[in-house]
Amino acid sequence: MRTRSLLAVAASLGAFGLFASVAAAGLRSPGPILTPANLLTLSRAGAASWLCGYAAAPRPGGHRTVAWLTLLWAATASDWLDGPLARRSGITPLGAVLDLEADSWLTWWAAVAAWRSGALPATCLVAPAARYLVRWGRGLSRPMATAGWQKAAGFAQMAVIAGGLAPNRFVRVLARRLLPGAVAAQLVALVVDARSAEVLGPGSASAA
């Protein structure tokens, strides 16, 4: 990576640490940080920061396969395995915060990388940016709603973004065509989540 990309990676890691610290500040008993599950979650933040460096390159696209594989690792193995590890050793409030922050950070920088590479239009940034607005409004330490259809909307969004970074041109074209529907579904999920936070109020538990 060039100096510009390395600086972007460092800035991304610093910003993630700041967001995670702010989100965890209200936790009364956060729990240990260096657990196997948390380390796996933090690897997702590292992957997101690598994608930030990729997006910061003057001409993103030269390492498209590496970017795609990095995203696949973070969005599948890392995201799927940290939950079982956490349940085995004991779920902690800090682990839940780190998991949510890593998911948000990965989605944002994957979308930016897909846009900067020219595979997807700037509309791919709308839902990831809106997610941060919703999270800020409902309180950073509170989890997002996880109804089945909302999970499906989030999965569809990530699948389209991953398709935008895919080495295969046909997959990238297909992702571009599916993007409007994925963005709309995720925005609906976020709007419902924001309204549920207003109804529940700041002192209530969010949907699980």
Side-chain angles (χ1 to χ4, degrees), residues 36-38 40-41 44 77-87 99:
N38 286 351
L40 193 58
T41 299
R44 199 149 70 250
S78 173
D79 198 22
W80 295 344
L81 294 177
D82 60 357
L85 278 176
R87 286 189 289 273
D99 183 64

Side-chain angles (χ1 to χ4, degrees), residues 18-111:
L18 178 61
F19 279 125
S21 297
V22 171
L27 300 177
R28 295 182 179 179
S29 179
I33 185 172
L34 296 179
T35 66
N38 286 351
L39 290 175
L40 193 58
T41 299
L42 291 172
S43 76
R44 199 149 70 250
S49 296
W50 191 93
L51 289 171
C52 173
Y54 171 83
R59 292 182 179 179
H63 299 282
R64 187 185 297 276
T65 300
V66 178
W68 182 65
L69 291 175
T70 299
L71 177 58
L72 283 188
W73 150 259
T76 57
S78 173
D79 198 22
W80 295 344
L81 294 177
D82 60 357
L85 278 176
R87 286 189 289 273
R88 178 175 297 182
S89 59
I91 298 175
T92 64
L94 178 61
V97 167
L98 290 177
D99 183 64
L100 186 57
E101 288 299 325
D103 284 349
S104 298
W105 209 235
L106 178 67
T107 304
W108 171 251
W109 285 115

